[in-house]
Amino acid sequence: MRTRLIASIAIPLALLLALPAGATSGLNRKDKKTLKNAAEVLDVLTSAPDNGIPQELLAKAECIMIFPSVTKGAFIVGGKSGHGVASCRQADGKMGSAAFYTVGGGSIGFQIGGQSADVVMLIMNEGGVDGLLSDKFTIGGEATATAGPVGRTAQASTDAQMHAQILSWSRSHGLFAGAAIDGSVVKPNQDANARLYGRETSGKDILVDSKLAVPVAAQPLMDSIRTHMAAAVAADLAEQN
């Protein structure tokens, strides 16, 4: 009887430990909504080339950050006002896995109005990546940022835009526009990342070192990010030729 009891416990436990991280992460409703909405935001910005983020900049970006439905009021009073995800390009050119981040504490401008907006940031160089991997960084402080240009190409970009560590856009009422986000604080959402991967981890492990496989829950988003970023690289190469 005792042997049977031990076996009845051990087998389910072994099966549980064998499950992928995405199946044991216990993502909450907000986490799942963030992953789903981030993919939708990315699909929208790439399906409207004349009013979206230039392909050339997507192709050159080291990382992309997507924050769906950031509220205007929360930015004014500070605090954690937006939840989003980030992914960074690996040495082989492929985008790595997803990490949860939060943004808040400043004024985002909202040049195009509305009570909330989707916010997209492109990290353009190593300095911006270093900020992303820190415990937190302030845009306009530790990392320089400017509003990104909108359109099929970046030919009309200013020198400041082409040399900024971070380029940013917001979308409200279906339209993308460059967004000024100085004063905003960006930091990893460690609790959400622990839920996603089933253990405590770091932005470096997720975004740069590629030590963690993409969890099942994040796979649809990562499929979208990898598809769109690869398409941007292909389009940029075709434009150059």
Side-chain angles (χ1 to χ4, degrees):
M1 179 67 71
R2 182 179 179 183
T3 302
R4 290 180 181 178
L5 178 60
I6 293 174
S8 66
I9 296 174
I11 293 175
L13 179 60
L15 291 174
L16 178 62
L17 293 175
L19 289 173
T24 60
S25 59
L27 293 180
N28 62 31
R29 183 178 299 179
K30 180 177 289 185
D31 299 333
K32 295 175 182 178
K33 185 176 180 181
T34 297
L35 291 171
K36 178 178 180 292
N37 290 352
E40 293 175 353
V41 171
L42 183 59
D43 289 341
V44 169
L45 75 87
T46 54
S47 65
D50 292 329
N51 296 298
I53 297 174
Q55 294 281 292
E56 176 186 345
L57 296 179
L58 284 171
K60 290 179 169 56
E62 295 292 332
C63 308
I64 184 169
M65 304 187 75
I66 307 169
F67 293 93
S69 301
V70 175
T71 58
K72 179 178 181 180
F75 261 100
I76 293 174
V77 301
K80 293 183 179 179
S81 53
H83 298 262
V85 292
S87 175
C88 292
R89 203 178 300 278
Q90 305 303 298
D92 62 0
K94 185 178 181 180
M95 301 300 291
S97 195
F100 283 108
Y101 275 76
T102 63
V103 63
S107 175
I108 199 167
F110 286 93
Q111 298 93 326
I112 52 180
Q115 295 303 307
S116 68
D118 303 318
V119 178
V120 178
M121 305 181 200
L122 294 184
I123 312 300
M124 302 306 298
N125 54 41
E126 186 176 345
V129 175
D130 289 342
L132 193 62
L133 299 181
S134 62
D135 291 336
K136 67 177 181 178
F137 68 95
T138 302
I139 298 176
E142 293 88 351
T144 60
T146 189
V150 175
R152 184 177 298 274
T153 69
Q155 293 178 352
S157 302
T158 65
D159 185 67
Q161 288 171 331
M162 296 307 293
H163 290 88
Q165 292 176 336
I166 299 174
L167 295 173
S168 57
W169 294 261
S170 64
R171 180 178 76 105
S172 181
H173 305 301
L175 298 175
F176 271 95
I181 54 175
D182 281 356
S184 301
V185 177
V186 177
K187 58 183 178 180
N189 188 334
Q190 296 178 344
D191 291 340
N193 285 327
R195 291 191 292 269
L196 180 61
Y197 289 95
R199 63 178 178 85
E200 291 187 5
T201 185
S202 68
K204 188 173 187 292
D205 285 343
I206 300 171
L207 298 176
V208 176
D209 290 344
S210 296
K211 292 182 178 178
L212 300 175
V214 177
V216 173
Q219 193 64 59
L221 171 63
M222 286 311 309
D223 287 344
S224 179
I225 289 177
R226 287 170 174 172
T227 296
H228 291 308
M229 297 297 274
V233 171
D236 187 49
L237 289 175
E239 187 76 22
Q240 294 177 20
N241 296 330

